[in-house]
Amino acid sequence: MPIERRPLRDQIREELMLRLDRGDFAAGTDINEVALAGELGVSRTPLREALITLAGEGVLESNQGRGFRFAPVSRKEFRELCAIVAALEALALESSDPAYLEKIAPELLGLAQDFSDNIAERQDIERHDDEWHDLLLSGCGNERLLDLITSVKAGMRRYAHLMTGESTPLERAAEEHCRVAERLLDGDLEGAAAALRDNWVNGMERMMSRIP
Amino acid sequence: MPIERRPLRDQIREELMLRLDRGDFAAGTDINEVALAGELGVSRTPLREALITLAGEGVLESNQGRGFRFAPVSRKEFRELCAIVAALEALALESSDPAYLEKIAPELLGLAQDFSDNIAERQDIERHDDEWHDLLLSGCGNERLLDLITSVKAGMRRYAHLMTGESTPLERAAEEHCRVAERLLDGDLEGAAAALRDNWVNGMERMMSRIP
DNA sequence: ACTATGAATTCTGCATACAAAATATTACAT
DNA sequence: ATGTAATATTTTGTATGCAGAATTCATAGT
């Protein structure tokens, strides 16, 4: 088996995102480099490299002389990010092969349906939602676009753990996913893209109240 | 006067982009960290930090064990990037204040017109074009979107110096800019966004032949 | 009690040092 | 002459070290 050989900075970045998803860090928290490096068992150099990439994705901020901290959340920024991914995912969908989309449409519909059935843990929900979107965009040949989408979404993960329990928003999301899938079944690409945009806009509205 | 106090990595990044614009580095060139650091008069640490941010923007690639190199150019990637900025700039335009847009429309038109008049150096042309687009988007309140656009455009600069002499594409671009400005004068936001998208798509087509 | 000033401490930003991987070079065998 | 193995060199990836900025704490003055 090929042993893992990739830069520490990548592994560190991954681990930090994992911890962010677990809600280990509150927004606005300063990062202590020596402490975190010690905790991770690495030196400050690759840690700082990881922090810099995260800052580039908007997960962190850096200020001269006072290091890095998790970027604070705000309704304004959340709105902005939602508008961006909405546009990017719609573009990705529109530049996908229509034939391929029709082929995966049933699967998308199925996923969306048993999405509403089992109301599980928050993390499961998110994973499920992410997988659905990934599958939806799997036919897009624009690699840079897909990379960009993942990068922007990384910047949104800070908002994920604000979405606690409550099933109503979840059911609404599942409904919207169904609507997208149905449009694709009909071969209506533009309609699907519009429905996808709606999904993001509505999702934004749903979250809004929970953000300070 | 407040003296300049910002991280070396930022200044280094800026300097490298400047050199990239000057055409100092060919696409695909490997970067020798010690040599470049010496040339810039800095240590490898902040240089590597700058390289990592540039890699995040797609200007560079990094491979385990063999460092950084300027990402090779390809028609496919250029197409992809154009599609992305087209969508992002259109979004920025659509989420701007219509009243403000109408106000700056005359200026945009004027700039586009004397754009075609003086056919100057390549660098001047690019600067002029950039300024026009910056002004166009200056009314967009979505800060994250504007940041993202500059970041994606940074990844496109590798293609800029391929656009040498020849005035025809330039005149076409100016025409298209005029069209966008005219739509804005009429208060036709959607039309302007569509014209803007066209500008990017056509610009892409124009460049295509010059890319290997 | 509260503010201001200055020392002590903590932490970042940058430089240097070291180890391992990748590349180049040489020697040798076919 | 060509290909290959062994060795030397270069270069990256990571760790450590050091100077200065930012913060904290303590003390003095009002």
Side-chain angles (χ1 to χ4, degrees), chain A residues 49 76-77 80 142 144, chain B residues 48 77 80 141-142 144:
Chain A
E49 294 183 346
K76 177 175 188 298
E77 194 210 13
E80 293 182 355
N142 189 331
R144 290 298 309 259
Chain B
R48 279 179 62 87
E77 193 209 12
E80 294 182 354
N142 190 330
R144 291 297 310 258

Side-chain angles (χ1 to χ4, degrees), chain B residues 67-82:
Chain B
F68 298 86
R69 66 166 185 172
F70 284 87
V73 299
S74 75
R75 301 188 186 196
K76 177 174 187 300
E77 193 209 12
F78 187 66
R79 247 193 308 263
E80 294 182 354
L81 289 171
C82 283

Side-chain angles (χ1 to χ4, degrees), chain B residues 173-194:
Chain B
E175 253 179 64
E176 288 157 14
H177 284 188
C178 287
R179 207 153 300 159
V180 174
E182 288 161 6
R183 298 281 184 288
L184 289 179
L185 272 175
D186 296 347
D188 175 14
L189 226 170
E190 287 206 15

Side-chain angles (χ1 to χ4, degrees), chain B residues 6-9 42-46 49 65-66:
Chain B
R6 67 180 169 137
L8 265 187
R9 57 171 180 275
V42 297
S43 87
R44 280 179 59 214
T45 310
E49 294 181 345
R66 65 196 67 167

Side-chain angles (χ1 to χ4, degrees), chain A residues 169-191:
Chain A
L170 172 61
E171 287 165 12
R172 291 286 315 272
E175 253 179 61
E176 287 157 15
H177 285 188
C178 287
R179 207 153 299 159
V180 174
E182 287 161 8
R183 298 279 184 291
L184 289 178
L185 272 175
D186 296 348
D188 176 13
L189 226 171
E190 288 206 17

